[in-house]
Amino acid sequence: MRKWPARVITLGLLSVLLACGGKQDTVVTAKAPHNDTVCSLDGMVLADYPGPKGQIQYDNGETDYFCDTVELLSLYLQPEQQRRVRGVFVQDMAKADWAHPKDYWVDARQAFYVVGSKREGSMGPTLGSFAVAADAARFAQDFGGKVFAFKDITPDTVRLDGGVLKDEKM
């Protein structure tokens, strides 16, 4: 029986480990839209409208921006969604200015949403988005609505035809 030198075994194990390592996962962070960035669904300029915005980043490096959380979640929650998503972000409206929101992006899947408030976004009724449940509850107390965790938002909650939000103008 032939004995393998330690160096050959070490090099073999090292090559297997390097091959298994492959592509390292990196932390995905939100990308700030420019002042002229338009909504991927309707072409509206994000900066021209109040309320929380959203974005989806895909594996191919593209980012879709949305002028409203309803549009973002409606697209993201569609069962037909085939593109590989790396990150989904909404703005924390406890920190961002409702009239002119900028920055304060949080992971949409970790956020809390207020459905049915009196505050409107770019498309009329919208979902206020918050990083912390207590901030969402305070907002709901001030402006009405009910607090939902992301896992409780369904496609019917964010129907673009008015649906649950009872907005017949859309």
Side-chain angles (χ1 to χ4, degrees), residues 6 8 21 24 35 53 55-56 58 65 70 72 77 90 99-100 117 128 133 137 140:
V8 172
Q24 294 284 333
N35 286 337
K53 311 298 181 233
Q55 62 178 274
I56 299 176
Y58 300 100
Y65 290 95
V70 174
L72 165 81
L77 294 174
V90 292
H100 304 285
S117 82

Side-chain angles (χ1 to χ4, degrees), residues 6-158:
R7 202 179 317 195
V8 172
I9 293 172
T10 303
L11 286 174
L13 287 173
L14 184 59
S15 355
V16 169
L17 288 173
L18 287 173
C20 291
K23 184 178 170 183
Q24 294 284 333
D25 283 341
T26 56
V27 175
V28 179
T29 57
K31 298 177 183 178
H34 300 286
N35 286 337
D36 61 349
T37 298
V38 297
C39 177
S40 296
L41 280 185
D42 56 31
M44 294 169 60
V45 177
L46 272 62
D48 289 350
Y49 298 93
K53 311 298 181 233
Q55 62 178 274
I56 299 176
Q57 294 180 25
Y58 300 100
D59 269 358
N60 64 3
E62 292 179 16
T63 300
D64 279 343
Y65 290 95
F66 300 87
C67 59
D68 193 277
T69 52
V70 174
E71 289 180 337
L72 165 81
L73 294 170
S74 175
L75 180 76
Y76 181 71
L77 294 174
Q78 287 178 6
E80 305 86 33
Q81 175 62 270
Q82 295 296 315
R83 295 168 75 181
R84 291 182 50 115
V85 173
R86 291 192 64 214
V88 184
F89 301 95
V90 292
Q91 291 174 302
D92 181 359
M93 298 312 290
K95 296 179 180 175
D97 173 17
W98 191 277
H100 304 285
K102 288 186 181 231
D103 304 321
Y104 304 107
W105 296 96
V106 297
D107 186 326
R109 296 166 288 201
Q110 302 301 315
F112 297 89
Y113 299 88
V114 177
V115 177
S117 82
K118 295 175 188 155
R119 298 297 304 258
E120 292 194 346
S122 64
M123 302 301 291
T126 193
L127 278 62
S129 49
F130 298 88
V132 178
D135 292 334
R138 236 182 331 279
F139 180 87
Q141 185 175 1
D142 292 345
F143 300 102
K146 183 177 176 188
V147 177
F148 285 77
F150 173 81
K151 67 179 179 57
D152 298 320
I153 302 289
T154 67
D156 280 339
T157 308
V158 289

